């Protein structure tokens, strides 16, 4: 940190660190896929008030939303292998990235579960009753009537979750995953230019976040436009 600040180093490190962006994006995409499944599984018992399972689902959501994600990551990375060891399951050779995706997926799933529940609850139940009166099945009613409206309602919240998840991927280096943050830490410790490294990382993360926000804004705009057209007809 005693070196004079150098903008050329910022550019140099930016070009190096961008090569590790696919690792961060891979963690993000896999975490979101897992989180979407987990979110649906956790939301269903709360939507339909299934006994016993409803309480278990609420407890899981409360834990993953009420504790820091770095703690969840450490618990899963170090705790899960110890829990499974007595059962004869050896996870010592499993890539740290697997634990990262699992931790981030569970954390994301807890947030998505509440988003799903609130979005579905926001849809007028009278529409489902009307669909049932004309002979539509429950599944058909959900996917043709409830889901499109709930998805539109949830879209702004989904974009926030995606952007937050991208920023959370910077914690993956804490368990040995060599993503952008991990590589940046290594470069900074060797070159003694941590400030330049962190500025480079900030630029990359900021550009990706802006891009994601723009994409979601365009999707939301198109969905609102489609809704207005359907309403006017």
């Amino acid at each position: 940190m005693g070196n004079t600040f150098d903008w050329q180093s910022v550019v140099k490190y930016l070009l190096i660190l961008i090569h590790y962006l696919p690792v961060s994006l891979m963690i993000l995409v896999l975490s979101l896929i897992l989180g979407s499944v987990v979110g649906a599984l956790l939301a269903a018992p709360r939507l339909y008030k299934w006994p016993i399972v409803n309480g278990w689902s609420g407890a899981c959501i409360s834990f993953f939303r009420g504790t820091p994600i770095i703690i969840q990551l450490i618990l899963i990375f170090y705790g899960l292998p110890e829990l499974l060891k007595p059962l004869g399951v050896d996870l010592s050779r499993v890539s740290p990235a697997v634990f990262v995706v699992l931790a981030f997926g569970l954390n994301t799933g807890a947030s998505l579960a509440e988003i799903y529940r609130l979005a579905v609850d926001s849809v007028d139940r009278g529409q489902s009753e009307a669909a049932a009166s004309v002979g539509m099945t429950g599944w058909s009613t959900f996917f043709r009537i409830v889901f499109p409206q709930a998805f539109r309602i949830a879209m702004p919240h989904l974009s926030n979750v995606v952007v937050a998840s991208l920023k959370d991927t910077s914690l993956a280096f804490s368990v040995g995953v060599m993503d952008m943050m991990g590589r940046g830490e290594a470069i900074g410790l060797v070159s003694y230019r941590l400030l330049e490294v962190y500025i480079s990382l900030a630029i990359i993360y900021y550009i990706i976040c802006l891009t994601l926000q723009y994409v979601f804004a365009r999707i939301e705009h198109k969905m609102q436009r489609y809704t207005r057209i359907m309403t006017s007809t």
Side-chain angles (χ1 to χ4, degrees):
M1 294 298 294
N3 296 331
T4 304
F5 181 81
D6 181 18
W7 278 108
Q8 291 184 346
S9 295
V10 172
V11 177
K12 180 179 72 174
Y13 296 145
L14 195 153
L15 295 176
I16 295 174
L17 295 173
I18 197 70
H19 288 91
Y20 292 83
L21 177 60
V23 179
S24 298
L25 293 181
M26 179 196 68
I27 294 173
L28 173 65
V29 171
L30 294 178
S31 300
L32 290 174
I33 293 173
L34 177 60
S36 298
V37 176
V38 171
L41 294 175
L42 292 177
R46 294 173 63 79
L47 280 170
Y48 298 104
K49 309 300 181 184
W50 295 340
I52 302 177
V53 184
N54 184 21
W56 177 83
S57 174
C60 289
I61 293 173
S62 177
F63 174 79
F64 283 104
R65 296 188 70 196
T67 56
I69 190 171
I70 183 63
I71 293 179
Q72 298 167 21
L73 177 58
I74 297 300
L75 288 176
I76 290 176
F77 181 74
Y78 291 105
L80 188 59
E82 292 301 319
L83 289 175
L84 295 180
K85 189 179 295 182
L87 301 177
V89 180
D90 182 15
L91 300 180
S92 60
R93 296 185 179 181
V94 175
S95 169
V98 174
F99 296 99
V100 170
V101 170
L102 178 60
F104 289 174
L106 292 174
N107 181 273
T108 302
S111 298
L112 291 178
E114 287 298 275
I115 293 174
Y116 294 162
R117 182 180 65 84
L118 294 173
V120 172
D121 282 342
S122 299
V123 179
D124 184 9
R125 293 187 180 274
Q127 298 182 48
S128 298
E129 295 172 357
S133 67
V134 297
M136 291 182 65
T137 64
W139 284 105
S140 180
T141 299
F142 179 81
F143 285 107
R144 295 182 61 181
I145 296 177
V146 177
F147 178 78
Q149 298 180 70
F151 185 73
R152 179 176 57 83
I153 295 170
M155 180 56 66
H157 305 288
L158 293 175
S159 65
N160 291 336
V161 169
V162 173
V163 171
S165 297
L166 172 65
K167 291 183 288 186
D168 287 341
T169 61
S170 62
L171 298 173
F173 85 98
S174 62
V175 293
V177 176
M178 189 56 69
D179 63 341
M180 287 194 301
M181 193 68 186
R183 183 56 178 166
E185 284 284 322
I187 293 174
L189 292 175
V190 172
S191 65
Y192 297 100
R193 291 191 177 276
L194 283 172
L195 180 58
E196 288 89 341
V197 168
Y198 281 121
I199 290 177
S200 300
L201 288 168
I203 291 172
I204 296 173
Y205 277 110
Y206 187 54
I207 291 175
I208 300 302
C209 285
L210 287 179
T211 303
L212 290 173
Q213 290 172 346
Y214 174 78
V215 170
F216 276 102
R218 295 298 301 171
I219 294 174
E220 187 177 354
H221 175 73
K222 288 184 178 295
M223 292 179 66
Q224 291 177 347
R225 181 180 177 184
Y226 175 77
T227 302
R228 288 194 296 268
I229 293 174
M230 293 297 294
T231 303
S232 62
T233 55

